[in-house]
Amino acid sequence: MTLKKEPLILAIESSCDDTSAAVMQGRRVLSNVVNTQEIHESYGGVVPELASRAHQKSIVPVIHRALSEANIEKKELDAIAYTRGPGLLGSLLVGGSFAKSLSIALDIPLIDVNHMQAHILAHFIEDPRQVAPNFPLLSLTVSGGHTQLVLVKDYFELEVLGETLDDAVGECFDKSAKLLGFDYPGGPQIDHWAQQGNPKAFQFGLPKVPDLDFSFSGLKTGIAKVIQQSVRNDAEFIINNKADLCASIQEAIIEVLQKKLLKALKTTGVKHLVLSGGVAANSGIRNRLKELSDKHHFKLHLPPFEYCTDNAAMIGIVGVLKFERGDYSEISHSSTARYNLTQL
Ligand code: KG4
Ligand code: ZN
């Protein structure tokens, strides 16, 4: 009997400000290289034009490193998977064009991947640090660009239950952090300072959005108003209240997420919750979800940090699942800034 060889897939992610390449052998990660662009720090956010140029610069070295860390030669690859969207178009085009050229040169299948599906299915990467969830599951993806609640019935059967109508959670963290004087991205700084502060010190008006959708722009404006008014009366206000401000901002964001999450769990009756996206690193969110999972009897899945933030291994796991189905992409498929989960 011959053993079935697990496919070797090179995955490329370039949707925002991380250039990443991974090599998968079946569902296992052989390498996962991420190059985060630092050029945006001084601009207070990602500058699309600079992001595409930086991808252009780093894509070849990043792919070389991924292949060499995996100890794989290009000719051994069975397929190339890449992020088709959603994301910044110029950034997507760099990874997409590279993936297409390489698939033609090596004469192997090309597989296009939806970035949001990849965040969710990162939980199915075979890794001793995580246990795969059961279907049906509820997914909450929280990042700098997205806030989305999805009901996942199977790998390819996903239903968006709610999403943000304006800013993403990460944007709310980062823009509030900017008001407090932190560099971009300031989310981790808020998390750090919040641990020493009083979450009830300041109150901000919470959004009233129907159903399972989110809104963070009103909250962001409310936070800005409180800070600007207080600074007018006391120039030292931020310095003297930094920890309390961070704790209160983080608490307001957690309350918004918690309300929608509990509603979604109740409506769907689902017992497995997966958290993804860069904001999933937030210790306050993680702790609150752990408390809620005990109280409301659902199983919480928190992936290792490197699978939360943008990375190519998550593109690779979707690539492998599509490869198993023979679901290949046409070379004519174009990268797309908007890419709905229902168009898989
Ligand atoms: O998923 P990600 O790496 O990139 C995309 O936006 O796609 O997420 C980055 C976001 C940023 O907004 C960053 O501030 C936020 O994740 N973030 C955090 C923490 N770590 C990263 N926000 C709050 N607390 C953290 N510990
Ligand atoms: Zn992402």
Side-chain angles (χ1 to χ4, degrees):
M1 193 183 77
T2 50
L3 281 176
K4 192 172 152 269
K5 178 182 162 275
E6 294 203 281
L8 281 170
I9 294 188
L10 172 70
I12 300 171
E13 153 66 27
S14 71
S15 64
C16 189
D17 60 342
D18 296 296
T19 316
S20 180
V23 178
M24 305 291 291
Q25 181 158 39
R27 296 185 184 200
R28 281 176 304 121
V29 178
L30 298 187
S31 64
N32 187 23
V33 177
V34 183
N35 180 60
T36 300
Q37 304 172 357
E38 281 161 12
I39 191 160
H40 310 286
E41 270 169 27
S42 52
Y43 293 89
V46 177
V47 184
E49 174 66 27
L50 297 180
S52 8
R53 288 191 214 176
H55 282 303
Q56 192 85 271
K57 236 183 179 174
S58 53
I59 193 150
V60 172
V62 164
I63 289 175
H64 271 151
R65 231 179 88 202
L67 290 167
S68 99
E69 282 183 17
N71 208 10
I72 292 291
E73 304 258 352
K74 286 196 285 293
K75 60 176 191 282
E76 295 176 77
L77 292 170
D78 293 297
I80 317 262
Y82 76 100
T83 308
R84 184 176 173 205
L88 302 171
L89 191 58
S91 294
L92 291 165
L93 283 169
V94 177
S97 307
F98 195 96
K100 285 178 184 180
S101 316
L102 197 55
S103 93
I104 294 171
L106 298 173
D107 194 21
I108 53 175
L110 177 71
I111 299 169
D112 62 47
V113 173
N114 180 305
H115 180 92
M116 299 309 289
Q117 182 186 20
H119 268 303
I120 299 170
L121 298 189
H123 290 265
F124 292 91
I125 291 172
E126 265 178 32
D127 187 306
R129 293 166 297 168
Q130 67 178 7
V131 177
N134 291 348
F135 295 119
L137 61 91
L138 188 69
S139 158
L140 176 64
T141 305
V142 280
S143 74
H146 304 278
T147 309
Q148 205 174 52
L149 259 173
V150 181
L151 175 62
V152 186
K153 295 180 189 149
D154 203 346
Y155 299 122
F156 295 92
E157 223 185 308
L158 298 94
E159 184 189 339
V160 178
L161 301 179
E163 56 196 335
T164 185
L165 303 175
D166 39 58
D167 292 350
V169 193
E171 260 176 291
C172 190
F173 267 111
D174 295 337
K175 287 179 179 164
S176 307
K178 195 175 172 196
L179 293 167
L180 300 178
F182 296 124
D183 279 345
Y184 175 84
Q189 288 294 323
I190 295 204
D191 187 359
H192 171 78
W193 282 86
Q195 289 170 31
Q196 306 144 42
N198 173 10
K200 295 197 165 73
F202 300 96
Q203 305 287 323
F204 308 105
L206 296 184
K208 292 188 180 64
V209 181
D211 306 321
L212 293 170
D213 286 327
F214 300 87
S215 164
F216 287 98
S217 90
L219 177 58
K220 182 189 70 188
T221 313
I223 292 168
K225 267 193 192 148
V226 169
I227 294 176
Q228 282 154 1
Q229 269 170 13
S230 309
V231 168
R232 268 201 289 276
N233 299 331
D234 169 13
E236 305 280 282
F237 174 74
I238 293 179
I239 290 190
N240 293 335
N241 295 279
K242 210 173 238 181
D244 285 350
L245 278 165
C246 288
S248 303
I249 291 167
Q250 184 167 294
E251 179 60 27
I253 293 174
I254 295 175
E255 273 179 39
V256 175
L257 295 175
Q258 168 174 331
K259 192 170 156 215
K260 297 291 174 163
L261 204 53
L262 291 179
K263 191 170 179 183
L265 285 164
K266 199 169 164 203
T267 328
T268 58
V270 167
K271 293 287 175 212
H272 284 252
L273 174 73
V274 307
L275 186 68
S276 341
V279 181
N282 183 269
S283 57
I285 296 179
R286 286 179 167 244
N287 291 339
R288 182 68 54 84
L289 288 183
K290 281 181 198 151
E291 282 167 34
L292 292 174
S293 76
D294 287 342
K295 193 167 163 207
H296 296 273
H297 314 291
F298 60 85
K299 174 104 179 78
L300 175 65
H301 297 263
L302 300 169
F305 184 62
E306 69 259 34
Y307 301 149
C308 278
T309 51
D310 286 351
N311 70 92
M314 70 182 196
I315 305 303
I317 184 72
V318 182
V320 169
L321 293 164
K322 284 190 152 183
F323 185 84
E324 286 168 1
R325 291 154 53 107
D327 187 355
Y328 306 145
S329 156
E330 297 295 325
I331 212 83
S332 59
H333 278 181
S334 47
S335 300
T336 169
R338 292 178 177 273
Y339 192 7
N340 206 304
L341 276 175
T342 52
Q343 298 170 292
L344 298 176

